[in-house]
Amino acid sequence: MLKNFSQDLSRWYIKNRRDLPWRHTKDPYKIWVSEIMLQQTSVSTVIAYYERWIKVFPTIHDLVQAPLQTVLKQWQGLGYYNRVKNMYKASDILIREHKGVLPKDPLIIRSLPGFGPYTTGSVLSIAYDMPLTIIDANVRRVVMRLMALDGIADTKQDPEINKFLLKVLPKKNVGDFNQALMELGALVCRSKEPICNSCPVNKYCLAYKMNKQELIPKVKKKVIKNIHAVIAIIKKDDRYFIQKRASKGLLADLWEFPGGKIEAGELKVQSLSRELLEELEVDLKSSKYLFDVNHFYTQFKVNLSVYECQLFSEPKIDATHKWVSFKDFSKYPMPSGSAKIIHKLKKIA
Ligand code: SF4
């Protein structure tokens, strides 16, 4: 029954695939870069980042030779910084132990930082045409509909989905087949309003036959948490005070303005005062409200209230605390919320 599934899908893919920069190469390093960038980030955002990255770090050797700070700066705005840190660590191992070449052995690849089953399968199948299945959010949704599986789209579904994929995986051009399935999910079998009447595999689709395509997979409501924080802008002449975050945890190693979460029952100015004392051991003399900035992450929304602050004494300067001018902000990788603050500060400076 699934005999011609892969041919039907591949034929559609050849005619309809989007012309994306990473589809013009078989270089495993470049494919790896694109796959890491595409996790959690939309294709339209990734294109510019990918093109810039390949100009700055055309090979794995260029990447490893660059300081981490420079690498993080190139990544700024893509978020989920562990992705790039793992890529940097894995590149170093590849240079030292494999002459800078990604080995064809999935077990070796899986042992490298940041390589889970998806990245291993996608890089090896696309670059080396290895017969590996891959399951991302698009593939999971498409196959759940093809099989009319019950439940939400989570990894518990993957063993069933993988059985299906092993039945339809072609012997050749596996990378194209894997990309075709993801492309079908992105363009046709979309989460909302799938275009079933022009779907190349609708004759194999149980959800379509049962008219249940809009009901599969079941949707779990996302709970978005709101976080409110205060940010202190401390200025000296034309320079601003910034500090480096710890090397572990959320947004590790990035630079930001001082400040933090408003605790329950605290007024914003009390919170500002407490944060400055806790973080920099300085006392707040006065503060002037400047503006608010909102930033959205996958699980939460952050509202940052930004204040210009006068202090009783200057904060200490060391390797993780700096005075920086607008011109030099570009040297410091920052989270998107801080980059938005700089953009607004420039307008009122
Ligand atoms: Fe998705 Fe519809 Fe195609 Fe089934 S027929 S795979 S639900 S687009």
Side-chain angles (χ1 to χ4, degrees):
M1 190 202 156
L2 290 166
K3 202 168 140 243
N4 294 322
F5 181 92
S6 72
Q7 287 98 310
D8 291 342
L9 180 65
S10 298
R11 225 173 280 135
W12 170 86
Y13 177 65
I14 289 163
K15 274 195 204 148
N16 296 282
R17 66 182 152 197
R18 289 167 291 179
D19 183 15
L20 302 171
W22 47 89
R23 288 189 175 153
H24 294 271
T25 183
K26 283 276 176 194
D27 178 341
Y29 162 71
K30 291 178 183 165
I31 290 163
W32 177 29
V33 170
S34 70
E35 286 298 329
I36 298 294
M37 285 186 173
L38 285 163
Q39 288 164 19
Q40 319 277 354
T41 312
S42 69
V43 167
S44 56
T45 303
V46 166
I47 292 173
Y49 276 92
Y50 172 83
E51 287 180 332
R52 205 166 49 230
W53 185 278
I54 297 302
K55 269 193 198 129
V56 180
F57 312 120
T59 67
I60 194 167
H61 298 271
D62 298 299
L63 177 62
V64 169
Q65 275 161 21
L68 178 63
Q69 221 36 14
T70 310
V71 174
L72 292 177
K73 193 69 207 170
Q74 284 302 318
W75 195 267
Q76 184 175 308
L78 281 175
Y80 300 95
Y81 285 81
N82 270 344
R83 293 183 290 171
V84 66
K85 285 184 178 172
N86 281 333
M87 188 160 69
Y88 190 64
K89 280 188 218 153
S91 299
D92 185 53
I93 297 171
L94 287 168
I95 295 278
R96 284 190 284 105
E97 297 178 13
H98 301 280
K99 298 182 180 155
V101 178
L102 267 103
K104 289 186 178 174
D105 183 340
L107 287 179
I108 297 178
I109 294 283
R110 275 299 297 273
S111 70
L112 295 169
F115 274 93
Y118 170 79
T119 313
T120 304
S122 60
V123 174
L124 293 184
S125 69
I126 297 170
Y128 299 139
D129 204 22
M130 289 182 64
L132 298 169
T133 59
I134 58 175
I135 304 175
D136 74 341
N138 277 326
V139 172
R140 195 174 286 125
R141 181 177 62 258
V142 173
V143 179
M144 281 186 74
R145 285 173 174 166
L146 287 163
M147 301 177 76
L149 293 180
D150 200 18
I152 58 167
D154 62 9
T155 50
K156 286 194 197 114
Q157 308 283 356
D158 291 357
E160 272 306 294
I161 291 172
N162 206 42
K163 271 189 217 159
F164 176 94
L165 292 174
L166 288 171
K167 277 189 213 154
V168 293
L169 203 71
K171 293 209 166 47
K172 278 197 292 188
N173 300 325
V174 180
D176 276 354
F177 172 82
N178 281 336
Q179 290 187 87
L181 212 47
M182 292 190 279
E183 194 77 336
L184 186 76
L187 303 181
V188 178
C189 192
R190 308 172 306 197
S191 50
K192 282 185 193 140
E193 299 176 8
I195 318 167
C196 298
N197 57 352
S198 50
C199 172
V201 290
N202 58 13
K203 66 178 175 222
Y204 310 98
C205 182
L206 289 179
Y208 183 48
K209 274 184 197 142
M210 298 153 84
N211 199 21
K212 278 185 158 184
Q213 61 272 37
E214 300 264 9
L215 305 175
I216 298 173
K218 288 202 174 100
V219 183
K220 193 177 158 195
K221 269 205 173 159
K222 251 193 202 169
V223 184
I224 302 281
K225 216 169 124 191
N226 284 310
I227 294 175
H228 296 275
V230 282
I231 300 296
I233 302 298
I234 308 164
K235 218 176 147 186
K236 186 162 91 168
D237 306 320
D238 62 343
R239 290 176 303 155
Y240 295 82
F241 184 83
I242 57 170
Q243 58 188 14
K244 195 177 185 190
R245 291 179 66 92
S247 291
K248 287 219 165 98
L250 190 69
L251 309 173
D253 287 323
L254 301 187
W255 291 80
E256 63 178 10
F257 298 100
K261 226 162 106 182
I262 301 170
E263 303 288 351
E266 247 180 359
L267 294 173
K268 286 181 181 174
V269 71
Q270 289 173 329
S271 169
L272 208 50
S273 203
R274 178 186 49 74
E275 287 287 343
L276 287 168
L277 199 58
E278 282 173 11
E279 287 183 1
L280 306 174
E281 296 177 7
V282 291
D283 288 310
L284 178 66
K285 195 194 241 174
S286 63
S287 62
K288 183 179 130 201
Y289 170 75
L290 295 178
F291 48 75
D292 268 27
V293 161
N294 290 315
H295 190 67
F296 294 88
Y297 294 88
T298 321
Q299 305 291 350
F300 52 90
K301 175 189 160 193
V302 186
N303 167 256
L304 305 170
S305 294
V306 182
Y307 288 81
E308 183 163 346
C309 297
Q310 307 296 327
L311 308 175
F312 281 105
S313 57
E314 264 193 23
K316 282 190 200 111
I317 296 299
D318 55 25
T320 56
H321 297 85
K322 304 252 183 215
W323 292 105
V324 176
S325 65
F326 277 135
K327 181 170 64 66
D328 289 334
F329 272 133
S330 59
K331 294 180 189 154
Y332 296 87
M334 291 183 147
S336 299
S338 304
K340 283 184 184 174
I341 292 173
I342 293 171
H343 184 69
K344 284 205 169 190
L345 279 177
K346 278 185 184 162
K347 285 189 178 166
I348 57 171

